């Protein structure tokens, strides 16, 4: 195999892979069962209504000695 082909082949392979992935993720899906959809919505509402913990304070930076 030519060395230049080894360098250039990943570019079109990655492009084709990205196109296939985008097509796969945007495909039409069948309708969900209503009970599953309601359960997921209830889970989402409970997660959104729970309080958000406050962020932890950043630890103080220690001074580094330069030897």
């Amino acid at each position: 195999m030519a060395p230049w082909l080894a360098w250039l082949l990943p570019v079109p392979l990655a492009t084709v892979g990205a196109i296939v992935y985008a097509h796969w993720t945007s495909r039409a899906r069948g309708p969900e069962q209503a009970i599953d959809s309601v359960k997921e919505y209830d889970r989402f509402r409970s997660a959104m209504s729970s309080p958000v913990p406050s962020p932890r304070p950043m630890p103080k930076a220690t001074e580094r000695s330069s030897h």
Side-chain angles (χ1 to χ4, degrees):
M1 177 151 70
W4 59 270
L5 185 60
W7 280 99
L8 295 178
L9 192 59
V11 175
L13 290 178
T15 303
V16 170
I19 291 169
V20 168
Y21 176 76
H23 179 69
W24 177 260
T25 57
S26 64
R27 71 190 186 283
R29 294 174 177 87
E32 283 193 35
Q33 296 293 326
I35 189 70
D36 295 335
S37 180
V38 171
K39 285 179 184 178
E40 291 298 318
Y41 179 69
D42 287 339
R43 191 170 70 96
F44 171 76
R45 281 188 47 204
S46 67
M48 292 303 287
S49 65
S50 65
V52 177
S54 61
R56 290 190 241 164
M58 294 294 292
K60 292 184 180 180
T62 58
E63 291 185 26
R64 294 185 180 185
S65 61
S66 58
H67 293 271

